[in-house]
Amino acid sequence: MAQVALRDPDDALDVVQDAMLKLARNYASRPAAEWRPLFYRILENGIRDLQRRRSVRKRFMTWLPGAKEDPDNEAQDPLENVADSGPEIPEVLMQGQAMEKLEESLRALPARQREAFMLRNFEGLDVAETATAMGCSEGSVKTHYSRAVHTLRDQLGEVW
Amino acid sequence: MNEQSLGQSPGDPRTVEPQTAFEERSRALFQDSVESLSFATRSRLTRARHAALDAASAGRRPWFLRVGFLTPAGVTAAAVLAAFLWMGSPVGQHVVTVADGQSTLEDLDMVASSDDTIDMLQDDLEFYDWAEKDANSEPAA
């Protein structure tokens, strides 16, 4: 979920780790039934915060004269560019490509629809849990989810 | 709090009721992508989960025992926070009750247990100082 929203595996892992720690530190005493929606709420907030910070940093960097390079862009590990010698299984590749298409379409959705879809469909939260995680009513969750499914299905087909 | 609660198995199938082939397909793709996560990613998630569980265990200890684990900078920030809460309490305006005292201690415990709060205090100490003075100043006639 964080990976889809942030596109960066390291950032996604950082946000997930942070959400786990915040949940454990601040909400461990809450009833177990609340943990899942709380976790996803913290995660969504973390994702939104990071996106906002990225946006501010990007604007700030464009103001700086001669600062065109991303300061976070560290030297690349050459090993990362070495081709994987493992067997390429067509089915796995097809699954991967299908998932990439789904991720692209998800990124194009409005944020609330994307959240509703990922929480309900990917993470398996029910309507009430999703409403708690998103901080909205169950009716809103149903609307966001339904719109997301229709838009995605229109773009990708029933089984793309 | 256990490992299951920290997302070890995302998407509990028992709570999912896919209604269309599209929903089933997208869910299956997501599950596949989770299962094909790299070893490094899985390892990092496991470490994060353990760190969170440790934090949850530490959170069950009383706050005065946890003070010993704070960094010197954290202790300073916690002391400033305590002074801030104490000076900001309505002493002199009304009699402080036991419930007030407990509430303040609980608030202190809650905020002091958050690294974010301590970091925030360290970063923005001048701002909070100004905000407190501004809030306490008499409005201009």
Side-chain angles (χ1 to χ4, degrees):
Chain A
M1 201 171 147
Q3 166 82 50
V4 171
L6 297 169
R7 295 182 184 217
D8 183 290
D10 284 331
D11 281 350
L13 281 168
D14 283 345
V15 170
V16 169
Q17 182 172 342
D18 197 39
M20 284 181 181
L21 280 169
K22 281 181 178 162
L23 176 75
R25 280 181 182 150
N26 302 326
Y27 299 104
S29 59
R30 298 285 281 268
E34 292 181 16
W35 288 341
R36 283 185 81 201
L38 276 171
F39 172 75
Y40 287 112
R41 187 159 190 171
I42 297 168
L43 184 64
E44 282 295 345
N45 288 339
I47 290 169
R48 232 171 283 144
D49 279 352
L50 188 58
Q51 284 172 332
R52 213 174 297 143
R53 260 183 280 146
R54 274 181 180 176
S55 153
V56 170
R57 189 171 56 193
K58 199 174 171 186
R59 281 206 305 273
F60 180 71
M61 291 308 290
T62 56
W63 293 339
L64 291 177
K68 294 191 176 171
E69 286 183 21
D70 185 352
D72 288 343
N73 190 14
E74 294 167 6
Q76 285 230 323
D77 182 353
L79 287 176
E80 284 181 8
N81 297 324
V82 175
D84 186 357
S85 60
E88 292 189 351
I89 306 166
E91 193 181 342
V92 173
L93 284 177
M94 282 169 63
Q95 300 273 50
Q97 285 166 355
M99 187 63 198
E100 274 178 26
K101 280 187 182 175
L102 177 58
E103 285 185 20
E104 277 173 28
S105 299
L106 276 169
R107 288 189 192 108
L109 285 178
R112 300 297 273 172
Q113 287 183 30
R114 186 176 63 233
E115 286 172 26
F117 184 84
M118 289 198 290
L119 289 169
R120 293 274 291 121
N121 189 277
F122 287 0
E123 310 293 350
L125 269 62
D126 62 25
V127 175
E129 288 174 326
T130 307
T132 304
M134 290 177 64
C136 65
S137 69
E138 294 185 17
S140 295
V141 168
K142 288 176 185 168
T143 305
H144 289 314
Y145 182 72
S146 170
R147 286 180 183 162
V149 169
H150 279 101
T151 307
L152 292 171
R153 196 162 46 197
D154 285 349
Q155 286 179 4
L156 299 166
E158 191 69 26
V159 279
W160 65 103
Chain B
M1 183 161 285
N2 54 38
E3 296 211 352
Q4 186 80 15
S5 64
L6 288 171
Q8 192 169 31
S9 60
D12 184 347
R14 289 169 301 178
T15 62
V16 182
E17 296 163 9
Q19 291 166 351
T20 64
F22 172 82
E23 287 166 290
E24 284 182 8
R25 165 80 166 151
S26 50
R27 182 168 173 72
L29 283 173
F30 175 72
Q31 293 289 3
D32 283 344
S33 74
V34 170
E35 282 162 21
S36 62
L37 282 175
S38 69
F39 176 77
T41 304
R42 284 175 185 275
S43 167
R44 198 168 155 195
L45 284 171
T46 303
R47 275 181 279 133
R49 209 157 41 229
H50 288 160
L53 290 169
D54 287 347
S57 307
R60 292 193 197 101
R61 289 197 292 272
W63 69 272
F64 49 85
L65 291 180
R66 270 182 275 150
V67 167
F69 292 95
L70 294 175
T71 59
V75 171
T76 310
V80 171
L81 176 62
F84 182 80
L85 287 174
W86 175 252
M87 288 189 291
S89 69
V91 176
Q93 292 175 19
H94 75 273
V95 177
V96 179
T97 64
V98 173
D100 285 336
Q102 280 176 344
S103 169
T104 306
L105 278 179
E106 283 166 10
D107 289 347
L108 177 60
D109 184 18
M110 191 174 71
V111 292
S113 66
S114 161
D115 284 347
D116 288 350
T117 309
I118 290 170
D119 289 346
M120 185 182 74
L121 274 170
Q122 287 169 334
D123 290 341
D124 298 317
L125 216 51
E126 287 180 3
F127 169 75
Y128 291 111
D129 186 38
W130 170 83
E132 187 205 7
K133 283 175 187 159
D134 192 57
N136 291 335
S137 64
E138 292 289 328

